[in-house]
Amino acid sequence: MRNYRLLAAASFGAIACAAAPAMAQDTGATPAAEEDENTIIVTARRQNERLQDVPASVSVLTADALSKTGADNAEDFVQLTPGVTIVTGTAEAGDTQINIRGINGARDAESSVALVVDGILKTNTAQLNQTQGTLRQVEILKGPQGALYGRNAAAGAIVLQTLKPSDIFEGGIKASYANENTIQGTAHIAGPLGDNLGFVLSGYYRTTDGFFRNEFLDAKVVDDQEVWTVDGRIIAGLGDDTELDVKARYSKLNGASINFNSSFHLPNFAGVNPAFNEDVNDHPFGYYGNIRPTNAQDSFDISTKIEHDFGNMSLTAWALYSDVDQSLTADGTSADFARFISAADPAVANVVNSCFASTAALTGFPVNQPGFVGALPVPFIFDPANGSTFGAYSPSTCDGTQLQIRKQSDISGEIRLASNGGDALSWQLGAYFLTIDRETGVSIGGDTGAGVSRELFNAPGSANPTSLLLNDTFDTNVYAVFANAEYEFGDLTAGLALRYDIEDRTSESLVPAGALDPFTGGPINPGLAFGAFSPVEATFKQLQPKVSLSYQPNPDLNFYANWGIGFKSGGFNNQGSSAIINANFVQFIGADVNIQDQYDKEVSSAFEAGVKGEFANGAITFDLAGYYTNIEDMQFFEFFVGSFGLLRVVSNIDDVDVYGVEFNTSAEIIEGWKFFGSVNVTDSEIKANSSRPSTVGNKSPYTADYTINLGTEIDVPFTDTIDLIMRADYRITGPTWFHSFQDQEAPTLFSGLLPISALALPDFVGNANYGVARRDAFGVLNLRAGIESGNFSAAVFANNALNRKYLNEVIPAIEFGGSFISPGARRLVGVEVGFNF
């Protein structure tokens, strides 16, 4: 109740001071995107139209707003957008999940948000949070957009426009320096290469030491990162009516990975040490892994688009090739399950010896509570006097190593014929094709102190012998046809869009059937103990309609409603996942969980109704919308850890209802001084869940109860030649559950082990309660102030100026008895200078 009073007060304050989202109706669009001073033109629905005329919720960051906020990637955009949250970079750089109004992208499944750059649909989730060239406008379209963009647009779409060349040379450079040795720079140049031929070349570079230090390695290798990107674009006019647009992009990233600590939720252990039952929000982060975590990502894509104007209609065709290779290496999580303290194969005795020797040498080394390093690497429940509790990523070699890879290349193309507008009837029709070749792998290995091999399989007797291997290929072919039409009946406009997607998927395990785990003597993929693997295939189909209505009694007021279907294809987990979970959790401890090797498609049905308007030539704007979404077979990521190693799977939540309301308003009360803000309230309920039946009645995971954005911007003359610019953005993100299993109790592996341990305690003593695994509400304040003089600019900035300590993500591992938690970014203060010509 206290939280809802706070929300009500904040909402009233936002409305009372005419607050609206930083990007909802900004007046700083580039000339190419303007009809008059305050008109913003968007392309979110694949056509040029006024933002005010779109019968849906769209948030926009113009070029001016991008400059004043410093936003350059999805993480920045999301923080300025009501009803949208993001988790990115916690495990690796390409690991991004965007939640829009209760629909979340599941890790290891497809995205729920379409990414469209200069009219071309990108398909790899690893690209969601990458920089995408010299941005000129960002549009975030909310709600299922399957009729427009097909598969993986169930939650919405992020539509980006980048710089196009003109007939004059222009360019710019910008550089900044902040604490933690954080350096960032961008540069671009654009102009003509000849008659009807122009180019854009841009670059991006960023490096940082990160906020956190590994105390065991005595180095800042927890969240350090270096990334550079080069983007090129050539646009050629092939006659008066045809334009060719060719783009290429390469990006390389190196940094750290697995920025997690473990947190236990075992209330019956709290009598021994209160830290065994820890509220995730109170956790003091410390890092002690003996292995430096690494993350490498190489991205390349090239696209060609051609547009031809026939007069009353236009033809657009494009093709895209994309290739993203990423991998991570890190410490393991297996020490508390004593995986590496004995061996079935004498060839790996060096791993066992290393484990015992490293633990003995580290006895008493201070690690995160309730962890402690005893004299022996034996779990304390089996040896209370000399045993250890390591937690994840310990200084000992006993937790082994992990290597994870994800490689994807894809080719896609589209052809579309559309009316050129100007008539009461507008229409589009077209076809789309996509083929994906993907490989994923997870390798757990023994640690002799010699680091982590980059090979998925390493033989017994090597420095990093493989103990568990999951390795699969996935081939996907997508075919789609689409059409839409919209007709104006005076002040009323009605639209209908249809898209039909067919997605063929095949998967095959690459794990050798005869390979054995040298520590247990069983198959190196434990699932093989229950039967051989065979190639699998499935086809997922979905019709995705969208209906929209708009009533505009005058150009400055729009009452609208829309309904649509969103679709995400089903797919396959690593083969053997179901058997591993059944044996280790269902059969052993009676866990109430059901995971399949094949997960189902996700289908969402969403209704939205609202009103948007503007006054005083756009100086005052507002947008009020209510929405209801039903999601069938919501895809959800689960993480399992145990004596077998670790396992990442996608499950389905059968039926989820989401409903909410959102209000935005902005005002420029006096010239040069704006106030803006927004409030979104989202509620949800799991109606059915065969994967975890006990979670019925809980909330949709990864969905904040509310978001509030408040802020102000000043852009006024300081002298005759210098303008003063100041900007403040305050974002409050409400309480968030990250799992379908919420304020509940569950048996854990400790429940199964305690009765047979030296402690000989009843099984219920090992049960976990996850009421302490919800992220609390938090607020982040970003500040910028600077000057602009002609072509020169300078600014100071403070991101998270109040140094609010909050959690980025909480991943409960229900049957493990705790969560893997990641911290949010801390305060970053720096200076920035820029020059344009």
Side-chain angles (χ1 to χ4, degrees):
M1 182 61 70
R2 183 176 63 185
N3 287 336
Y4 282 100
R5 291 192 187 117
L6 170 65
L7 176 58
S11 303
F12 178 79
I15 297 170
C17 73
M23 40 192 222
Q25 299 268 357
D26 196 289
T27 61
T30 57
E34 293 181 351
E35 288 183 348
D36 56 48
E37 181 182 0
N38 292 323
T39 298
I40 298 177
I41 304 300
V42 296
T43 61
R45 295 198 303 159
R46 311 184 78 172
Q47 60 188 18
N48 291 333
E49 57 187 330
R50 291 195 315 156
L51 174 60
Q52 174 63 25
D53 296 336
V54 181
S57 293
V58 185
S59 295
V60 177
L61 265 175
T62 64
D64 183 64
L66 290 166
S67 174
K68 287 185 170 68
T69 60
D72 59 21
N73 58 29
E75 186 174 12
D76 298 332
F77 313 150
V78 163
Q79 293 305 313
L80 297 164
T81 310
V84 185
T85 58
I86 188 171
V87 170
T88 185
T90 54
E92 58 183 333
D95 178 22
T96 299
Q97 299 162 84
I98 297 176
N99 185 299
I100 300 181
R101 293 179 172 178
I103 302 180
N104 195 68
R107 183 181 275 113
D108 291 349
E110 301 294 337
S111 174
S112 292
V113 179
L115 175 63
V116 184
V117 183
D118 293 323
I120 294 178
L121 178 64
K122 297 199 172 184
T123 55
N124 195 320
T125 58
Q127 297 169 312
L128 274 174
N129 199 42
Q130 295 179 348
T131 58
Q132 297 289 337
T134 305
L135 291 177
R136 283 298 175 259
Q137 187 155 290
V138 176
E139 305 163 20
I140 299 182
L141 184 59
K142 302 171 187 176
Q145 306 303 327
L148 291 175
Y149 298 112
R151 60 191 288 281
N152 306 337
I158 298 177
V159 180
L160 308 181
Q161 297 178 34
T162 71
L163 178 68
K164 295 183 69 173
S166 66
D167 56 1
I168 61 172
F169 280 101
E170 62 175 301
I173 186 168
K174 185 179 292 185
S176 66
Y177 179 81
N179 53 292
E180 318 309 333
N181 285 325
T182 302
I183 301 170
Q184 181 170 310
T186 62
H188 75 273
I189 186 171
L193 291 173
D195 292 340
N196 297 319
L197 183 65
F199 79 101
V200 179
L201 181 65
S202 64
Y204 171 87
Y205 177 79
R206 185 177 191 272
T207 182
T208 181
D209 290 346
F211 296 102
F212 301 96
R213 174 176 292 273
N214 183 306
E215 300 300 332
F216 181 75
L217 298 177
D218 192 24
K220 299 196 74 175
V221 292
V222 175
D223 55 339
D224 61 311
Q225 189 178 93
E226 182 180 40
V227 58
W228 59 268
T229 302
V230 176
D231 289 85
R233 185 178 193 182
I234 292 178
I235 295 182
L238 307 179
D240 294 336
D241 301 319
T242 306
E243 181 181 271
L244 177 67
D245 187 350
V246 180
K247 297 180 65 178
R249 177 177 179 278
Y250 179 75
S251 179
K252 187 175 184 63
L253 177 147
N254 286 289
S257 65
I258 309 292
N259 182 8
F260 291 110
N261 276 187
S262 53
S263 177
F264 291 94
H265 313 315
L266 302 167
N268 295 315
F269 282 26
V272 177
N273 184 340
F276 271 114
N277 188 33
E278 181 182 51
D279 187 321
V280 293
N281 299 282
D282 298 332
H283 178 81
F285 281 89
Y287 299 87
Y288 311 97
N290 67 302
I291 292 175
R292 190 254 200 268
T294 69
N295 180 201
Q297 182 189 79
D298 287 351
S299 303
F300 173 74
D301 56 70
I302 184 169
S303 64
T304 300
K305 182 174 70 172
I306 190 166
E307 296 179 290
H308 181 75
D309 187 349
F310 289 102
N312 60 344
M313 68 182 71
S314 295
L315 177 69
T316 303
W318 59 260
L320 167 70
Y321 170 77
S322 172
D323 183 84
V324 181
D325 290 349
Q326 52 191 22
S327 65
L328 69 85
T329 65
D331 218 358
T333 61
S334 302
D336 278 326
F337 301 103
R339 183 175 181 84
F340 298 110
I341 66 170
S342 61
D345 188 337
V348 294
N350 56 343
V351 174
V352 176
N353 293 336
S354 175
C355 168
F356 276 85
S358 65
T359 300
L362 291 168
T363 301
F365 184 89
V367 294
N368 291 323
Q369 293 289 315
F372 60 91
V373 182
L376 296 174
V378 179
F380 82 97
I381 61 174
F382 289 99
D383 190 346
N386 301 295
S388 302
T389 296
F390 290 110
Y393 321 117
S394 81
S396 167
T397 67
C398 299
D399 44 13
T401 68
Q402 60 176 302
L403 165 68
Q404 299 186 37
I405 68 162
R406 184 181 180 92
K407 302 177 180 179
Q408 176 175 319
S409 62
D410 52 77
I411 300 173
S412 56
E414 180 182 274
I415 185 168
R416 175 168 54 97
L417 194 63
S419 63
N420 278 340
D423 298 326
L425 175 66
S426 60
W427 54 269
Q428 299 181 46
L429 58 91
Y432 172 82
F433 171 75
L434 165 69
T435 181
I436 301 174
D437 182 9
R438 179 185 299 156
E439 178 185 354
T440 66
V442 176
S443 175
I444 303 299
D447 183 5
T448 63
V452 187
S453 168
R454 298 284 177 163
E455 299 296 326
L456 285 172
F457 178 76
N458 298 279
S462 66
N464 191 199
T466 303
S467 176
L468 173 141
L469 178 60
L470 308 173
N471 188 201
D472 296 78
T473 61
F474 305 89
D475 294 320
T476 301
N477 289 314
V478 179
Y479 314 88
V481 291
F482 57 89
N484 66 67
E486 193 169 76
Y487 193 83
E488 296 182 12
F489 303 87
D491 294 336
L492 181 67
T493 302
L496 172 64
L498 292 170
R499 182 169 178 133
Y500 187 65
D501 276 67
I502 301 174
E503 187 153 344
D504 295 329
R505 292 197 163 200
T506 63
S507 177
E508 182 177 0
S509 175
L510 300 179
V511 178
L516 299 179
D517 174 1
F519 297 92
T520 67
I524 202 164
N525 180 329
L528 286 167
F530 307 95
F533 298 155
S534 300
V536 291
E537 60 182 36
T539 298
F540 304 93
K541 305 175 182 179
Q542 186 63 45
L543 178 67
Q544 299 163 88
K546 184 154 192 175
V547 178
S548 60
L549 293 171
S550 175
Y551 172 65
Q552 293 183 269
N554 62 66
D556 297 329
L557 189 63
N558 186 354
F559 297 90
Y560 65 88
N562 62 75
W563 168 82
I565 294 289
F567 159 65
K568 285 175 60 178
S569 173
F572 304 101
N573 291 310
N574 292 113
Q575 291 196 48
S577 297
S578 177
I580 295 171
I581 292 170
N582 184 66
N584 285 270
F585 300 112
V586 179
Q587 300 300 322
F588 181 46
I589 60 174
D592 186 22
V593 60
N594 177 31
I595 302 296
Q596 303 299 319
D597 283 351
Q598 178 180 320
Y599 54 90
D600 293 331
K601 68 179 182 180
E602 174 183 306
V603 180
S604 53
S605 172
F607 175 79
E608 177 187 37
V611 56
K612 61 174 67 174
E614 57 184 50
F615 306 99
N617 293 322
I620 300 175
T621 70
F622 72 91
D623 185 348
L624 174 66
Y627 54 90
Y628 165 75
T629 306
N630 174 258
I631 306 109
E632 295 183 359
D633 293 314
M634 173 185 280
Q635 293 171 8
F636 176 62
F637 168 82
E638 293 235 36
F639 183 69
F640 295 89
V641 60
S643 59
F644 58 86
L646 63 86
L647 191 61
R648 302 161 56 123
V649 301
V650 177
S651 65
N652 291 107
I653 304 175
D654 302 64
D655 192 9
V656 181
D657 280 347
V658 178
Y659 33 92
V661 63
E662 186 173 293
F663 178 74
N664 316 303
T665 179
S666 68
E668 187 172 10
I669 304 301
I670 61 176
E671 185 177 357
W673 192 356
K674 301 175 187 176
F675 295 91
F676 41 78
S678 66
V679 58
N680 172 283
V681 181
T682 298
D683 202 357
S684 58
E685 183 180 0
I686 296 174
K687 310 292 287 188
N689 187 6
S690 57
S691 295
R692 290 189 181 270
S694 65
T695 64
V696 171
N698 291 344
K699 295 187 176 184
S700 177
Y702 282 77
T703 302
D705 288 352
Y706 56 85
T707 63
I708 302 171
N709 288 74
L710 302 170
T712 187
E713 177 185 293
I714 296 174
D715 185 350
V716 295
F718 185 64
T719 69
D720 290 342
T721 58
I722 298 175
D723 288 342
L724 175 65
I725 298 171
M726 294 187 291
R727 175 95 182 197
D729 291 284
Y730 187 58
R731 164 69 171 241
I732 302 173
T733 302
T736 307
W737 293 103
F738 287 89
H739 201 285
S740 61
F741 200 89
Q742 295 168 11
D743 194 4
Q744 300 168 259
E745 183 174 309
T748 71
L749 292 173
F750 296 101
S751 306
L753 293 172
L754 279 173
I756 60 173
S757 72
L759 300 177
L761 294 172
D763 56 2
F764 74 85
V765 176
N767 289 0
N769 190 297
Y770 284 86
V772 293
R774 185 184 73 165
R775 181 177 69 185
D776 288 344
F778 66 95
V780 173
L781 175 66
N782 293 339
L783 301 172
R784 290 178 68 90
I787 58 171
E788 290 184 358
S789 176
N791 297 332
F792 175 77
S793 65
V796 294
F797 60 88
N799 297 335
N800 192 5
L802 302 178
N803 203 26
R804 179 70 163 88
K805 296 182 179 179
Y806 64 95
L807 297 174
N808 193 345
E809 184 178 24
V810 178
I811 304 178
I814 304 303
E815 287 71 33
F816 167 64
S819 300
F820 292 84
I821 61 178
S822 177
R826 303 307 192 224
R827 179 165 51 211
L828 193 70
V829 179
V831 296
E832 177 185 278
V833 293
F835 179 78
N836 295 315
F837 64 88

